[in-house]
Amino acid sequence: MRFLLLLSLLPSLLLAQSPRERILLDDDWQFAFGNASDPAKDFGCGTEYFNYLTKAASIHNEGPYSPKFDAFTWKHVDLPHDWVVDLPFAPEASHSHGYKTVGYKYPETSVGWYRKTFSVPAGDQGKHLYLQFDGIFRDARVWLNGFYLGHEPSGYTTQVYDISEYLNYGGDNLLTVRADATLEEGWFYEGAGIYRHVWLHKTAQLHVAPFGTFVYSELEAPFDRAELTVRTTMVNPGVSNSSFFSIKHILRNADGTEVTRAESTQRSIEAKEERTFYAGLNVQHPHLWSVDTPYLYMLTTEVWQEEQLIDCYTTPVGIRRIDFDPDRGFLLNGEPLKLKGVNMHQDQAGVGVALPDALQAYRIRRLKEMGCNAYRSSHNPMTPEMLDACDSLGMLVIEENRLMGVNADQLQPLRRMIERDRNHPSVILWSVGNEEWGIEWKESGEWIAAAMREYCHRFDPTRLMTVASSGGPTVLLPADVAGYNYILQNPVDKYRTEYPLRRALGSEETTGCGTRGVYFDDLEHGRMAALNRTPDPKDSVLNRIERGWQFYDARPWLGGLFYWTGFDYRGEPNPLKFPATGSEFGLLDYCGFAKDEAYYLRSWWTDSPVLHILPHWNLAGHEGDSISVWVYSNCAEVELAVNGRRLGRQAMPRGGHLAWTTGYRPGRLTATGYDKDGRKLLTRTVETTGEATQVVVQPDRETYTADGRDVAVCRLELHDRRGRFVPTACEELQISISGPVRILGVGNGDPAWQAAERPADPSARTFNVHSFNGLAQLLLQSTGEEGEATVTLSKADGTLLGNKNIRWRK
């Protein structure tokens, strides 16, 4: 019995004892600004004699790359880190990047240097070690112990550097990074610095290459059997040919139980060689991955040599079938599924682009709450942990390359994106570009798109590619799936007649949103009412978000649509200018607080009963004005009453909204929703409130992990003395914390807010945030210890407004 028990535990024991290590290098870096225009202020960078044979410069033993360099005054930071968050705003700074003082006008704040010292045990000599940077914005140069490792111009590309030959085994090693954000890569806020994770990998000389597995399935109805193909790329970077080895693949279900396995015959690889091996796995009655049941298996790839386990590589696996059909649209596991998507940039209030993993998952959960099932990564490859969140939470993804082209600067990032991310079941399309105005109407646009399509198929033969056009036809001709940016810019129905076999979707469509909680333009202060409540001058349509959904919902041959955007983002505050610093077209604001239009989509994208009234009824200064009261709902009929007076009962049109007109007088709006049989479903009330006297703290989850990384996203909601939400409350709040947390950042969703978003001292126990239209957000991060954290909110005069205890457990 003991032998059988040991045998059953052997796979997990081997996994735990795997010689492969993956070590996070996010903690305890040093940071200082360099200078983009003066080498003397940039630690001499650019003035050294550079030896192109050794890739090292003579002064590299004197500058920041040297252990002898005095970095005592440098700031200590943890990753992910975006230094632009702490920079001031200025009206002459870049409009597209949110008026932050970074870029070619600001050489003194556009270059950042990072240093980190880490030790490597003497026993690691003989292993293969490499570094992985998931994202540095931008134009990054990397050194180890004074040796130049390489350069990556893009801020969105994962970089891998072999370092075995440069290491000081049994001692300290100095890693140095210079990032230069002088030039913009996109036309939106991009931040600056090492804003994604850094990893140290340790393997045997013979090992699975970085991102070296590719697992894909052949799946046919009735989906009771799946054939998995496993491609494994092995590499031997050593100086000796390998002895014979074998590869074992073990597939386990979500409970850790083995489902099936495959073993290869003996193989060998010569020194400096890379080879790819194939294996097949048969899965009976597979659990299919879907947006509602995102079931994940785990594949363990073991490499055995002379009866020793020398490498162990894991790959999450989602078994599903995806199709795009010219008549049925998008299909998941054989069933049509309308893509209910949004476009997303990658920044968030309080942290910029440097999002902890927990905040990535928070953003996906907020999108799913309104019925969203698809995410387009506008306009760059995604953070790996965001894709992990999409896999585990059930969010479909179009992942986009940064630039179109057929040379190394465009194709290498495309290849790295695809080879890194092709095991994610959430990814359904590779997008090769967006609104390349210079080629959309030219023949060259067709040639470039066709070339990139073939590269996509070579890197991943299991998925189609797309490209998004602002209206030009040529780039769409060779696309596997055409991406239409806005139905007012693309003749979609005309294309259907001309190209009946074309597969297509709406890659961008307008939300018509404005500033959360603002119903009258305040352009001078950078805030605007939603465009939806005034007719579009282009076609006189009222409620533009409605126009988009009704169009795509009525055409089953279109795969779906992606609204611009899911969250607000910094930069592109069009049609406004400074002091507005961020786009206001998000369905959710910069913190993830819902705008009215999120309830429109929740009405038509979910089955849950929805009844939402707008505007709020705290319209001081508009007494006697005629107000159009709207209701977003999926009830069959809705009745509205104002201060007890019934204004009538109306039938809800499919994909539409309802409106009544009344004079404003403080009091109460009451909406009652009925089903198709006339039965009352639910009632909602909006009242004129009193002043805010309390703050309710609402953490986003019930449990948090005391691991030094987890984040509690706290909604701070202002109420009056009767417990009613105050939608106009803009109050200065003093935050005090105790316990095992730090203040990571704050926000409020105001697109013109320009105060500090986080304490200058990361250990600060107090900080202020100004609420905006009744809400603010506090991000608390674990310091690694267990215990209870307390958040206390007060007025500037010390008057207590509220508090909350939050438990952190190992």
Side-chain angles (χ1 to χ4, degrees), residues 230-511:
V230 184
R231 281 170 42 178
T232 307
T233 300
M234 297 294 298
V235 62
N236 176 15
V239 295
S240 301
N241 296 344
S242 76
S243 58
F244 286 101
F245 66 92
S246 61
I247 303 174
K248 297 180 182 179
H249 300 290
I250 305 168
L251 187 72
R252 295 181 173 88
N253 64 19
D255 296 327
T257 303
E258 181 176 328
V259 175
T260 186
R261 66 166 55 204
E263 300 186 18
S264 72
T265 57
Q266 294 288 310
R267 315 278 189 174
S268 65
I269 297 182
E270 294 182 1
K272 306 301 180 184
E273 185 184 10
E274 180 178 290
R275 291 181 62 188
T276 298
F277 303 95
Y278 290 79
L281 294 167
N282 184 281
V283 183
Q284 299 293 330
H285 306 291
H287 293 270
L288 300 185
W289 187 96
S290 72
V291 295
D292 296 320
T293 57
Y295 191 92
L296 292 174
Y297 293 85
M298 184 64 72
L299 180 73
T300 302
T301 298
E302 298 179 352
V303 182
W304 290 80
Q305 192 174 53
E306 297 176 356
E307 300 185 353
Q308 295 290 321
L309 177 67
I310 64 167
D311 196 13
C312 187
Y313 191 96
T314 57
T315 308
V317 175
I319 299 176
R320 86 291 184 263
R321 181 185 173 109
I322 53 174
D323 295 282
F324 283 87
D325 186 271
D327 297 316
R328 303 177 70 195
F330 174 71
L331 295 91
L332 180 61
N333 299 327
E335 295 295 328
L337 177 68
K338 188 68 76 172
L339 297 173
K340 303 170 182 176
V342 295
N343 288 267
M344 291 282 285
H345 286 311
Q346 59 178 1
D347 55 309
Q348 165 89 19
V351 295
V353 296
L355 274 69
D357 300 350
L359 204 49
Q360 308 280 12
Y362 161 81
R363 287 158 69 85
I364 297 300
R365 289 196 302 270
R366 293 294 290 141
L367 294 174
K368 292 217 42 148
E369 286 171 9
M370 67 181 183
C372 177
N373 65 16
Y375 179 116
R376 178 173 174 240
S377 67
S378 310
H379 301 287
N380 49 261
M382 294 167 68
T383 298
E385 289 72 27
M386 177 58 102
L387 282 170
D388 292 341
C390 292
D391 288 345
S392 63
L393 296 173
M395 180 69 74
L396 301 165
V397 171
I398 298 177
E399 190 169 16
E400 191 158 274
N401 192 43
R402 180 65 212 94
L403 294 171
M404 291 188 72
V406 296
N407 290 294
D409 279 357
Q410 301 85 36
L411 295 179
Q412 285 184 6
L414 176 69
R415 180 170 191 162
R416 291 185 203 173
M417 175 184 76
I418 293 176
E419 290 184 346
R420 187 194 70 179
D421 297 337
R422 59 192 176 183
N423 286 316
H424 288 280
S426 56
V427 177
I428 59 172
L429 281 172
W430 305 116
S431 175
V432 300
N434 175 76
E435 293 190 352
E436 295 282 356
W437 298 335
I439 61 173
E440 283 186 2
W441 283 267
K442 297 179 180 178
E443 214 173 9
S444 59
E446 180 179 357
W447 301 337
I448 293 170
M452 297 190 79
R453 178 197 63 210
E454 295 310 306
Y455 278 111
C456 286
H457 293 172
R458 179 178 292 273
F459 304 148
D460 177 8
T462 72
R463 291 178 179 87
L464 301 178
M465 60 75 74
T466 185
V467 62
S469 172
S470 63
T474 63
V475 293
L476 299 177
L477 293 174
D480 295 325
V481 179
Y484 299 131
N485 280 10
Y486 308 102
I487 55 178
L488 293 186
Q489 297 175 190
N490 284 274
V492 179
D493 288 332
K494 176 175 176 286
Y495 285 154
R496 173 64 171 171
T497 301
E498 295 175 348
Y499 308 104
L501 297 181
R502 172 179 285 181
R503 297 164 290 194
L505 52 78
S507 39
E508 291 182 19
E509 195 55 55
T510 184
T511 64

